[in-house]
């Protein structure tokens, strides 16, 4: 028998964790001791249950109201017809002329560089995004890079997805070194949930990639509830920060998950303790299948007013909505409208 090294036994790689993520309602039901009848298995294949082990471990068994469970549990309400909700509420497809590239705002461009995610969040505004059409060949990447070269007004490239950190480090390295050769590009922004759902993703290779990258770096995490932040997540964030990367967080305001000012102010405090500044609090996009997470406008304003009264200004995320065809996200003003 070949003796196995300690490493191989104790530290599964992020890829192993990702490939062992749970997608079976039956296994989820057994693991968390919740009735199988409360889990809906979506008929279409496009947005199945998908949750990796490190995230699952932060969910309280037997509790259907657990705020992390609610983010990943395919609920029966998803299938209910809802007026005013659509598959592409942001009209992103109209800006998606080059596959994988969305140029909607003036000086920054978004690359859909992760063709999948490490978790399926039920409220996701890209749950119906045609990832298959945006799974890029090297040729198509070169087309995006060419586009960015041709647009000197751009100074920031945002890697989004899906989750860009689902890509392997070699691909990331290739792409970002091409980007850093473009003289007008100053900043790289990475929108990712991976360091939260699989903190093991923040490994030596990733840290090395960030450390040597000759661009300013911003990482925007996506955390909705303080229970998502455990010691492993804190450590991962700390290590990312040591590469000189600014770490911010965005959240989505979600009924039954974080729809009160106590949870949100605890989230901001917990983020700050972990070295992260709150950036955005998004109003839910009207995406088909997510209507049960929505809140009335008056309630949103009430929660936000309470939040403003509970926190120092720098710990209050900007409350914004995505309104199609506007030049930026739209701040929701408490006193107008
Ligand atoms: C949100 C978003 C951005 C980034 O906007 P910021 O306000 O700079 O965070 C860029 N492109 C698209 C398409 C977006 O949806
Ligand atoms: S990680 Fe982000 S992009 Fe992926 S499903 Fe969750 S919210 Fe959507």
């Amino acid at each position: 028998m070949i003796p196995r090294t300690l490493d191989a036994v104790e530290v599964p790689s992020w890829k192993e964790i990702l490939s062992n993520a749970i997608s079976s309602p039956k296994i989820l039901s057994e693991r968390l001791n919740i009735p199988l009848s409360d889990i809906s298995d979506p008929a279409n294949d496009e947005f199945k249950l998908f949750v990796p082990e490190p995230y699952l471990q932060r969910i309280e068994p037997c509790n259907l109201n657990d705020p992390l469970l609610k983010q990943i549990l395919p609920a029966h309400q998803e299938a209910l017809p809802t007026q005013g909700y659509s598959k592409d509420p942001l009209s992103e497809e109209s800006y998606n002329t080059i596959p994988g590239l969305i140029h909607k705002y003036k000086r920054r461009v978004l690359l859909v560089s992760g063709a999948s995610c490490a978790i399926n969040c039920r409220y996701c505004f890209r749950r119906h995004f045609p990832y298959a059409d945006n799974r890029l060949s090297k040729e198509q990447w070169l087309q995006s890079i060419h586009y960015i070269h041709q647009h000197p007004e751009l100074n920031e490239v945002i890697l989004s997805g899906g989750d860009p950190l689902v890509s392997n480090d070699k691909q990331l390295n290739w792409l970002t070194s091409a980007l850093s050769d473009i003289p007008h590009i100053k900043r790289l922004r990475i929108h990712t949930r991976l360091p939260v759902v699989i903190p093991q993703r923040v490994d030596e290779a990733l840290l090395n990639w960030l450390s040597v990258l000759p661009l300013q770096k911003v990482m925007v995490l996506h955390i909705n509830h303080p229970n998502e932040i455990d010691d492993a997540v804190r450590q991962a964030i700390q290590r990312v920060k040591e590469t000189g990367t600014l770490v911010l967080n965005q959240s989505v305001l979600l009924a039954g998950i974080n729809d009160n000012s106590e949870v949100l102010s605890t989230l901001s405090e917990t983020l700050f303790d972990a070295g992260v500044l709150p950036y955005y609090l998004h109003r839910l996009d009207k995406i088909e299948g997510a209507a049960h997470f929505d809140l009335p406008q008056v309630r949103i304003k009430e929660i936000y007013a309470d939040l403003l009264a509970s926190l120092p200004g720098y710990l209050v995320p900007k409350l914004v909505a995505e309104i199609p065809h506007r030049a930026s996200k739209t701040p929701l003003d408490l006193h107008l409208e």
Side-chain angles (χ1 to χ4, degrees):
M1 210 174 123
I2 304 162
R4 290 199 284 170
T5 67
L6 260 185
D7 269 357
V9 175
E10 287 181 355
V11 193
S13 73
W14 67 270
K15 285 190 178 169
E16 287 168 309
I17 297 172
L18 182 59
S19 62
N20 290 325
I22 288 175
S23 56
S24 145
K26 188 161 173 291
I27 295 176
L28 187 75
S29 149
E30 287 164 4
R31 282 290 307 277
L32 295 177
N33 203 7
I34 54 173
L36 189 55
S37 57
D38 282 317
I39 309 174
S40 153
D41 196 12
N44 55 3
D45 277 340
E46 74 174 3
F47 207 68
K48 290 280 196 188
L49 164 71
F50 194 69
V51 58
E53 188 61 37
Y55 197 83
L56 192 71
Q57 281 173 7
R58 293 169 232 159
I59 298 176
E60 186 189 7
C62 308
N63 179 8
L64 273 171
N65 285 321
D66 183 279
L68 276 56
L69 177 65
K70 283 190 164 179
Q71 295 186 47
I72 57 107
L73 185 77
H76 296 293
Q77 291 105 303
E78 290 183 17
L80 298 176
T82 41
Q83 258 206 331
Y85 287 73
S86 81
K87 285 192 158 58
D88 181 23
L90 314 186
S91 307
E92 273 192 335
E93 286 192 48
S94 58
Y95 297 96
N96 189 205
T97 46
I98 293 183
L101 183 143
I102 302 175
H103 187 187
K104 197 162 139 182
Y105 301 156
K106 245 184 214 158
R107 307 206 61 192
R108 49 219 192 277
V109 68
L110 191 145
L111 295 181
V112 182
S113 73
S116 60
C117 288
I119 187 166
N120 281 348
C121 312
R122 306 319 300 177
Y123 43 80
C124 182
F125 72 99
R126 294 230 174 87
R127 60 181 287 166
H128 306 285
F129 191 79
Y131 284 119
D133 307 340
N134 281 274
R135 201 179 284 273
L136 302 189
S137 65
K138 200 152 188 175
E139 282 306 301
Q140 288 170 316
W141 279 119
L142 289 170
Q143 217 187 327
S144 290
I145 290 163
H146 181 71
Y147 180 96
I148 298 167
H149 263 288
Q150 298 301 304
H151 286 261
E153 76 276 17
L154 294 171
N155 65 4
E156 175 167 336
V157 175
I158 302 170
L159 305 185
S160 187
D163 198 310
L165 297 188
V166 164
S167 306
N168 67 46
D169 297 302
K170 207 171 142 207
Q171 287 166 318
L172 288 169
N173 254 309
W174 178 83
L175 175 63
T176 57
S177 62
L179 294 173
S180 59
D181 286 341
I182 304 175
H184 49 272
I185 295 302
K186 283 173 61 185
R187 282 189 298 275
L188 178 75
R189 194 190 322 177
I190 305 161
H191 282 185
T192 178
R193 197 149 156 69
L194 248 160
V196 182
V197 302
I198 306 180
Q200 291 83 346
R201 177 65 184 92
V202 180
D203 58 8
E204 289 308 319
L206 179 128
L207 293 165
N208 192 47
W209 164 59
L210 286 177
S211 302
V212 301
L213 192 68
L215 290 169
Q216 296 171 329
K217 294 149 292 194
V218 182
M219 181 179 279
V220 182
L221 299 173
H222 172 187
I223 302 173
N224 300 310
H225 191 281
N227 291 5
E228 289 175 65
I229 303 169
D230 66 4
D231 283 340
V233 173
R234 267 185 276 272
Q235 266 177 37
I237 292 169
Q238 187 50 43
R239 299 182 79 193
V240 167
K241 282 169 58 88
E242 282 162 11
T243 68
T245 303
L246 175 70
V247 185
L248 306 173
N249 181 63
Q250 53 185 339
S251 309
V252 184
L253 189 56
L254 297 163
I257 292 172
N258 59 10
D259 54 342
N260 67 72
S261 63
E262 282 100 273
V263 170
L264 290 172
S265 66
T266 306
L267 175 60
S268 279
E269 296 278 357
T270 312
L271 286 167
F272 190 70
D273 289 343
V276 182
L277 280 175
Y279 178 43
Y280 278 147
L281 178 62
H282 296 270
R283 188 183 72 184
L284 184 80
D285 296 312
K286 297 208 174 304
I287 189 87
E288 237 174 66
H292 55 294
F293 291 117
D294 207 1
L295 289 161
Q297 190 84 343
V298 282
R299 180 65 192 136
I300 294 177
K301 291 188 175 182
E302 202 173 69
I303 294 169
Y304 198 65
D306 283 350
L307 197 60
L308 283 165
S310 320
L311 289 168
Y314 59 89
L315 290 188
V316 182
K318 277 180 245 188
L319 178 63
V320 291
E322 182 85 42
I323 299 171
H325 311 298
R326 293 235 176 131
S328 72
K329 307 222 186 304
T330 303
L332 293 182
D333 195 296
L334 290 186
H335 303 290
L336 302 173
E337 297 185 76

